[in-house]
Amino acid sequence: MKTHQSLEGSAAEMTSGTAPVAAGTGGSQPLARIVADLRSPRSLTTIILAALIIYFSVSNPSAFLTGFNLRSIAVQTAVLMVLAIGMTYVIITTGIDLSIGGTLVLASVVAVKVMREIGPSGTSIFVGLLCALAVGLAVGLLNGFIITVAGINPLIATLGTLGMAQGMALIISGGVDVPGVPPSLTSSMGVGMFLGIPNVVWLAAVLTIVAVVVLRATVFGRYTYAIGSNEEAARRVGIPVDRHLIKVYAITGLLAGLAGYIDLARFGTTSVNGHLLDNLLVITAVVLGGASLAGGRGSILGTLIGVLIPAVLQDGFVIQGLQPYWQQFAVGVVLVVVVFIDNARRTSARNLHRL
């Protein structure tokens, strides 16, 4: 068992942005370092992604390698990435958020209802965005308070708020999709492009860059890693753990609200039953990107690579003429395999440490 001093040392290590260097990985052993890099989660994910792209490109190049299809993959990746940024923060802290799909749907329903009341104008678009963000923020704050103040396990807490958000969306919408999105929103964000790249992709790219900087170069990022590495040690060195976790879940909810607004822009209507598996896709992407469900490890760039895999899989299955249900099966299998590998790696590391 760790002593008080060792607990504080591990947290201080994380908050200072430094990490211990393993013995035997210096310049005298370049081959060992290369092998270790190839076995890293991000490298394995990159290899899987490259294999998928090569397979679909070779099997049907006339359909997969077209500009239209590549833009479709980019848009699908962008929407998932907006959700995955927040999930990366959550998983690094050893948490989980199953409510993002319900939050997205509720935010989109509230936003479109408000925009319909105001009418098709620039004001309605702006107010609709604020409503979507407010709904997402409210659900995220609720998650944070339930987890930190009530002390409920994140899995159970966010499963409960998933049901609450999805149920409220169905009540408000009457269980049917709500149309009436202003055409200007659809034309500008939904199908609009700049320099041949969809505006949705530009938005996701900006958010990704910001998220990378926040996680790598700010106190927020250092606190996030410290809490995930050892929550007790983080508390002992003075990190406001509960307040930070509330912020993390609030950011995740806020991004889910933004994703709901983007969904409206893309389709011109709500999709009240179209996001039931968003949490599975996003969690899989984050874990594929190298984040550990045990916390303390993960990166935004790794998540970006992980997000591309479900997007490419979905697109490739459509091109191959397979039913979309196979995508759900494949993503589920990948998630189980990746978690198994992660557990095996951590068990091996612990056994090696004991030696």
Side-chain angles (χ1 to χ4, degrees):
M1 180 172 295
K2 290 185 177 182
T3 64
H4 177 85
Q5 288 80 8
S6 63
L7 284 171
E8 291 182 350
S10 62
E13 223 168 44
M14 294 306 302
T15 55
S16 65
T18 61
V21 178
T25 59
S28 60
Q29 297 186 5
L31 182 59
R33 296 183 66 179
I34 293 173
V35 172
D37 287 341
L38 289 175
R39 293 177 59 188
S40 70
R42 188 188 299 182
S43 297
L44 291 174
T45 303
T46 304
I47 293 171
I48 293 172
L49 176 61
L52 288 174
I53 292 175
I54 292 172
Y55 171 74
F56 290 129
S57 299
V58 172
S59 62
N60 203 331
S62 60
F64 187 80
L65 294 178
T66 63
F68 174 81
N69 189 62
L70 294 178
R71 280 194 296 270
S72 298
I73 294 175
V75 170
Q76 179 68 14
T77 300
V79 176
L80 285 176
M81 190 63 195
V82 172
L83 294 170
I85 288 171
M87 187 67 77
T88 302
Y89 292 158
V90 167
I91 289 180
I92 289 175
T93 65
T94 69
I96 202 78
D97 189 349
L98 300 180
S99 68
I100 54 173
T103 304
L104 184 159
V105 172
L106 179 59
S108 65
V109 169
V110 171
V112 75
K113 285 281 189 178
V114 171
M115 288 190 289
R116 287 180 58 174
E117 288 295 323
I118 297 176
S121 66
T123 302
S124 69
I125 292 175
F126 179 69
V127 174
L129 173 61
L130 292 181
C131 289
L133 294 177
V135 169
L137 180 61
V139 177
L141 287 172
L142 179 60
N143 283 333
F145 278 107
I146 292 175
I147 292 167
T148 59
V149 177
I152 298 177
N153 182 279
L155 179 70
I156 303 301
T158 57
L159 183 62
T161 52
L162 166 64
M164 293 164 58
Q166 188 75 33
M168 184 59 66
L170 293 174
I171 292 171
I172 296 174
S173 66
V176 297
D177 289 329
V178 183
V181 176
S184 55
L185 175 59
T186 303
S187 61
S188 60
M189 181 179 289
V191 297
M193 290 193 291
F194 177 68
L195 299 178
I197 299 175
N199 291 334
V200 172
V201 177
W202 284 113
L203 174 61
V206 171
L207 290 174
T208 300
I209 293 171
V210 172
V212 169
V213 173
V214 168
L215 193 56
R216 287 187 173 184
T218 68
V219 173
F220 180 92
R222 291 194 291 272
Y223 282 5
T224 300
Y225 281 115
I227 292 170
S229 297
N230 194 317
E231 182 177 323
E232 178 62 24
R235 291 184 187 276
R236 293 189 178 186
V237 297
I239 294 176
V241 173
D242 290 348
R243 189 193 314 165
H244 188 80
L245 289 176
I246 291 173
K247 290 179 183 178
V248 168
Y249 283 96
I251 291 172
T252 305
L254 190 71
L255 291 172
L258 177 59
Y261 188 75
I262 295 173
D263 197 63
L264 288 176
R266 290 181 63 205
F267 300 109
T269 181
T270 60
S271 303
V272 293
N273 293 308
H275 298 276
L276 299 178
L277 291 178
D278 281 3
N279 49 16
L280 174 63
L281 291 174
V282 171
I283 292 170
T284 302
V286 175
V287 175
L288 277 172
S292 171
L293 291 175
R297 190 179 73 217
S299 70
I300 299 298
L301 293 180
T303 293
L304 176 59
I305 297 172
V307 164
L308 281 165
I309 290 180
V312 171
L313 266 179
Q314 181 179 16
D315 184 82
F317 283 165
V318 171
I319 291 175
Q320 297 288 346
L322 297 175
Q323 291 181 326
Y325 311 115
W326 280 106
Q327 182 209 0
Q328 300 175 17
F329 174 79
V331 169
V333 170
V334 169
L335 178 60
V336 171
V337 171
V338 170
V339 172
F340 173 78
I341 293 174
D342 180 58
N343 286 338
R345 183 184 294 110
R346 287 189 290 109
T347 300
S348 176
R350 283 197 300 268
N351 293 338
L352 184 63
H353 179 72
R354 291 193 184 102
L355 294 176

